[in-house]
């Protein structure tokens, strides 16, 4: 898989791990303020004060930074989902997806870098990084739904996650955020799709 050559080298020592996290924070700020094409090792080195040679040890390429950011945001998003479903009972898949849409909206509106990573149409390698994130998100949502909802249809849930991401992406590009109007439309489509069978 092409994505494997862009996997970052996560350090084990505390000092190096702090620099790694600092570099990721700087990259996230650059992404939110200047866009995807500004996230480069050179720019991160300039703004973070970390030597470029040190950054190359962590990130073999600019795409490795994007991969690391994507993974970090996906982990945060899934932790948020876990925290909100643990003590919640759901009537059906639609009920579960309504919560997922709400949580996605909250997280993506609060983390512009994550919105750009997941919803952007102009990523340099949109296919690898974004598809990897969407596939991970879909599989995690399916796993969590299967634990919380009886008779959840995994194939339909996988399809609706892709549809939800597409609708949120369209709204993000039209309005610069995921507005309540887009959220309501996305919920209606999700409900219609999941209750059609």
């Amino acid at each position: 898989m092409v994505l494997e050559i862009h996997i970052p080298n996560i350090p084990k020592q505390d000092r190096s791990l702090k620099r790694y996290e600092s570099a990721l924070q700087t990259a996230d700020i650059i992404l939110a303020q200047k866009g995807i094409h500004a996230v480069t090792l050179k720019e991160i080195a300039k703004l973070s004060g970390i030597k470029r040679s040190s950054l190359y040890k962590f990130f073999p390429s600019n795409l490795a930074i994007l991969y690391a950011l994507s993974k970090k945001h996906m982990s945060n998003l899934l932790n948020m989902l876990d925290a909100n479903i643990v003590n919640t009972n759901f009537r059906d898949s639609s009920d579960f997806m309504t919560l997922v849409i709400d949580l996605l909206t909250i997280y993506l509106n609060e983390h512009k870098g994550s919105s750009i990573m997941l919803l952007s149409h102009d990523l340099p390698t949109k296919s690898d990084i974004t598809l990897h994130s969407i596939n991970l998100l879909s599989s995690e949502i399916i796993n969590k739904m299967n634990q919380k909802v009886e008779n959840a249809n995994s194939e339909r849930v996988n399809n609706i996650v892709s549809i939800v991401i597409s609708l949120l992406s369209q709204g993000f590009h039209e309005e610069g955020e995921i507005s309540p109007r887009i959220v309501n439309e996305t919920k209606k489509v999700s409900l219609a799709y999941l209750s059609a069978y």
Side-chain angles (χ1 to χ4, degrees):
M1 177 192 264
V2 176
L3 192 59
E4 290 175 2
I5 64 173
H6 303 299
I7 295 176
N9 301 312
I10 302 172
K12 291 182 175 40
Q13 294 178 336
D14 284 344
R15 184 170 170 243
S16 295
L17 192 55
K18 286 178 184 174
R19 284 187 301 183
Y20 176 89
E21 289 298 329
S22 176
L24 272 184
Q25 271 186 324
T26 302
D28 208 17
I29 291 166
I30 294 167
L31 178 62
Q33 292 178 352
K34 299 180 179 180
I36 197 91
H37 301 291
V39 181
T40 63
L41 292 168
K42 180 180 179 181
E43 189 70 10
I44 293 169
K46 184 172 106 181
L47 294 177
S48 69
I50 300 170
K51 292 180 183 176
R52 239 197 308 191
S53 58
S54 294
L55 290 174
Y56 278 116
K57 290 177 188 173
F58 305 142
F59 308 105
S61 68
N62 291 336
L63 291 175
I65 298 164
L66 296 178
Y67 177 84
L69 278 176
S70 176
K71 188 171 181 181
K72 180 179 179 179
H73 280 296
M74 196 55 55
S75 176
N76 291 342
L77 180 57
L78 292 172
N79 288 339
M80 182 180 180
L81 180 60
D82 281 339
N84 281 276
I85 67 168
V86 69
N87 294 319
T88 306
N89 294 318
F90 299 96
R91 293 179 309 239
D92 54 25
S93 298
S94 297
D95 202 22
F96 188 93
M97 279 308 298
T98 297
L99 178 64
V100 167
I101 292 165
D102 286 338
L103 294 175
L104 267 172
T105 300
I106 291 166
Y107 188 84
L108 293 172
N109 278 337
E110 288 179 359
H111 300 90
K112 188 174 179 188
S114 182
S115 295
I116 293 168
M117 293 294 300
L118 194 62
L119 305 177
S120 181
H121 294 298
D122 64 348
L123 278 176
T125 56
K126 170 82 172 165
S127 57
D128 282 349
I129 295 171
T130 303
L131 289 180
H132 175 73
S133 295
I134 291 171
N135 289 338
L136 175 63
L137 182 62
S138 291
S139 66
E140 288 294 324
I141 288 171
I142 289 166
N143 289 338
K144 292 172 190 333
M145 188 181 290
N146 284 334
Q147 295 168 11
K148 299 295 282 184
V149 177
E150 288 185 30
N151 304 320
N153 183 322
S154 297
E155 184 178 331
R156 295 191 67 70
V157 173
N158 188 48
N159 291 341
I160 199 58
V161 170
S162 294
I163 292 167
V164 164
I165 294 295
S166 294
L167 292 170
L168 295 179
S169 177
Q170 188 62 39
F172 177 74
H173 287 284
E174 288 174 3
E175 302 177 16
E177 67 175 358
I178 304 167
S179 69
R181 179 185 67 82
I182 295 299
V183 173
N184 288 333
E185 288 177 12
T186 303
K187 286 179 181 178
K188 286 177 188 174
V189 169
S190 177
L191 177 63
Y193 181 81
L194 290 172
S195 61
Y197 293 93

